[in-house]
Amino acid sequence: MIEWQQKFYHRKVTIPMKTTMKHVRTPVLLLVALMLLLMTGCAKTEATTATFQSLAESKGYLTNDVIEQFADYRDTVKEATVAAPQSVAFKLEFYVLADETAAKNFFANNKATLESNQSGIYSQSSVNISNYQSYSLTASGQYMFIERVGKTVLVVFPTDSGNKKEIEEFVKQLNY
């Protein structure tokens, strides 16, 4: 028995290269194809200011064009609109920026501002896919949210977390 085991362990096994590569190549190609399919399906379509205003007004929200507040940044901020319910319990701020790079920078700066509110027990979520970034934070009874799609950005600065469902429903209806 010992002699047989020694022969078995010393036996060389050769696997033809074509067979090995074929078996490896097929799953890799399938994985790459799946990733490309998933990534193309993750891109979102930008909303327009008119769509944002129309949705807000259909919910009875007050809307206001606030582009004049960005007069010194007209080369970067092209459109700025704020919407709020009659109670003004929260504000939804919608921005159209000059290009996607400007929107990414705007998103990053405002995300950092929201992150500075992390204290005590908090929960956060973050997504960064294709032309889309999202960040939400609930901390100390406050809810904050920022989302970028292409060159547009939607921001909700700290508000009572009781408003979270209404805000999430608005964002869902905006297809963001």
Side-chain angles (χ1 to χ4, degrees), residues 27-46:
V28 169
L29 290 175
L30 287 174
L31 182 61
V32 168
L34 180 63
M35 288 175 58
L36 288 173
L37 180 64
L38 289 174
M39 288 178 67
T40 57
C42 294
K44 292 193 174 206
T45 304
E46 297 175 6

Side-chain angles (χ1 to χ4, degrees), residues 49 64-68 70 77-82 94-96:
T49 299
N64 194 20
D65 183 339
V66 293
I67 192 63
E68 293 306 317
F70 298 92
V77 180
K78 299 299 183 184
E79 299 175 31
T81 305
V82 175
F94 185 79
Y95 300 94
V96 177

Side-chain angles (χ1 to χ4, degrees), residues 116-134:
S116 69
N117 289 298
Q118 293 176 353
S119 62
I121 298 173
Y122 64 87
S123 67
Q124 62 183 348
S125 67
S126 186
V127 177
N128 189 357
I129 302 173
S130 188
N131 70 333
Y132 169 73
Q133 292 174 280
S134 177

Side-chain angles (χ1 to χ4, degrees), residues 66-125:
V66 293
I67 192 63
E68 293 306 317
Q69 295 177 9
F70 298 92
D72 294 341
Y73 305 99
R74 274 306 190 67
D75 57 327
T76 304
V77 180
K78 299 299 183 184
E79 299 175 31
T81 305
V82 175
Q86 298 285 336
S87 66
V88 193
F90 58 87
K91 292 187 312 182
L92 298 157
E93 300 179 14
F94 185 79
Y95 300 94
V96 177
L97 291 110
D99 55 36
E100 201 162 325
T101 301
K104 285 178 181 179
N105 291 335
F106 189 85
F107 177 90
N109 290 336
N110 283 283
K111 180 183 175 199
T113 299
L114 296 182
E115 287 175 323
S116 69
N117 289 298
Q118 293 176 353
S119 62
I121 298 173
Y122 64 87
S123 67
Q124 62 183 348
S125 67

